[in-house]
Amino acid sequence: MAILFLTPSVNSAARWADGLRKEFEDEDIRINSGPEGDADVEFAVVWKPPPGRLAALPNLKVIFSIGAGVDHVFADPDLPKDVPIVRLINETLTTQMTEYVVMNVLWHHREMDDYAILAAAETWRHLHPPRTPDRRVGIMGLGVLGSAAGDALARFGFSLAAWTREPRDWPLGEVFSGPEGLAPFLGRTDILVCQLPLTPETTGILNARSFAALPQGAVLINAARGGHLVESDLLEALKTGRLKGATLDVFADEPLAPGHPFWSCPKVRVTPHIASLTYPDAAARTIARNIARFRAGEPLIGLVDSAREY
Ligand code: GLV
């Protein structure tokens, strides 16, 4: 039996090879190999697998994403239908995403962009942001990452709400759900945090219509996927002042191209898809535990619902 790691990134392949070999001393670890020996491959560990590659593995038992998101797996039109897909859930990923969301919510809440402008003009002035309980933060998506961010933000005392696909109870704030819940959710949100999975239903959800539903001067933090955002709509909303600012970690095309208007827009904070990084050693451990569970006939942790694509 063999574990096949598939990635377009040569750098990350080398680090993953080390991490996986440490966890699976007795197993055959292959990096971007094939087609010879494909029949031995039982487990695939993937980031943006080449389309059709997974379908060529006749004895594939599980596909593991090395990220929390699995949109890069579903992007393969020939994805084998009956092979379970597992996304990565681990403490490192969750902690880092929580840090990123909290850091940026606090940044916008305390109006640090305004202080940066004042400092550049050598101006000493006090601004008076709303107090924390009066600042309305809205989280789109209450999965593992969105819930953890919500828990952390609740400790600061923000006024929280969430938007989810289906109604659910959440002790930390009101939950709005479904298409009809979107506008009222946005209408009460000063700081919008996107933590949604990217699916056909959520593609382009951060668009002019959504921005029009936000209060004047709201801000956006997108740490989910670039495909959620209609970039030109955001630029327009920033230009008109409907949105005051945005923090973006993810983009339609990555790396963000030199000359892209986001780089030079003073209202946009750009980070290079680093909100939550996968550390090969920790992730390989998580995957090894899941493979042990699979072999013991136990349920996989992070199993994706293929119909929903998350
Ligand atoms: C990163 O974007 C991930 O999916 O974990």
Side-chain angles (χ1 to χ4, degrees):
M1 98 89 203
I3 299 174
L4 175 60
F5 183 63
L6 295 171
T7 177
S9 156
V10 178
N11 285 345
S12 101
R15 293 199 302 135
W16 272 91
D18 288 350
L20 289 169
R21 290 201 173 108
K22 219 154 79 211
E23 281 309 315
F24 298 95
E25 281 174 2
D26 303 326
E27 318 271 7
D28 179 3
I29 306 293
R30 303 183 188 165
I31 311 290
N32 289 333
S33 72
E36 60 295 333
D38 274 1
D40 305 333
V41 175
E42 285 187 332
F43 302 104
V45 178
V46 305
W47 181 255
K48 299 186 180 168
R53 187 70 191 90
L54 294 165
L57 303 168
N59 295 312
L60 187 60
K61 296 204 163 48
V62 186
I63 299 164
F64 292 98
S65 164
I66 64 165
V70 287
D71 47 297
H72 63 105
V73 181
F74 285 101
D76 178 351
D78 298 319
L79 188 64
K81 292 271 170 290
D82 302 325
V83 180
I85 299 166
V86 173
R87 66 208 169 82
L88 188 66
I89 299 178
N90 77 17
E91 209 182 308
T92 316
L93 270 184
T94 308
T95 302
Q96 287 204 338
M97 183 56 83
T98 302
E99 289 169 356
Y100 187 91
V101 171
V102 168
M103 171 174 68
N104 280 289
V105 167
L106 292 175
W107 179 273
H108 290 291
H109 168 55
R110 296 299 302 270
E111 302 181 338
M112 297 308 290
D113 281 339
D114 295 329
Y115 284 113
I117 293 166
L118 290 169
E122 301 184 7
T123 302
W124 181 282
R125 187 184 304 155
H126 290 181
L127 303 172
H128 294 280
R131 286 170 305 166
T132 317
D134 297 326
R135 184 71 88 180
R136 300 165 300 172
V137 179
I139 304 173
M140 300 178 92
L142 275 188
V144 173
L145 300 177
S147 303
D151 290 347
L153 292 167
R155 288 198 284 275
F156 286 91
F158 287 105
S159 165
L160 292 179
W163 182 74
T164 60
R165 187 178 193 269
E166 272 156 19
R168 54 177 281 183
D169 288 331
W170 191 46
L172 303 179
E174 187 171 356
V175 176
F176 299 81
S177 62
E180 62 293 345
L182 187 57
F185 161 77
L186 294 169
R188 55 71 61 206
T189 292
D190 304 313
I191 300 179
L192 177 64
V193 179
C194 181
Q195 296 275 270
L196 289 168
L198 185 65
T199 69
E201 281 175 41
T202 64
T203 296
I205 195 165
L206 302 172
N207 58 28
R209 227 165 105 201
S210 296
F211 300 147
L214 286 164
Q216 181 81 12
V219 303
L220 167 69
I221 299 169
N222 187 14
R225 283 288 183 264
H228 289 124
L229 175 66
V230 180
E231 295 186 345
S232 52
D233 287 1
L234 175 63
L235 286 165
E236 183 60 24
L238 290 167
K239 200 163 97 193
T240 61
R242 165 128 300 267
L243 260 70
K244 182 177 175 201
T247 295
L248 305 177
D249 186 54
V250 287
F251 303 90
D253 291 313
E254 296 180 5
L256 189 63
H260 190 290
F262 285 156
W263 284 118
S264 53
C265 177
K267 295 178 177 174
V268 177
R269 289 158 61 76
V270 169
T271 53
H273 203 143
I274 48 72
S276 189
L277 295 168
T278 300
Y279 288 77
D281 53 345
R285 213 165 307 133
T286 305
I287 291 167
R289 264 188 237 128
N290 244 341
I291 288 181
R293 291 175 71 87
F294 179 80
R295 286 181 170 151
E298 292 166 17
L300 290 158
I301 295 171
L303 186 65
V304 166
D305 177 339
S306 287
R308 291 181 175 186
E309 300 195 7
Y310 70 92

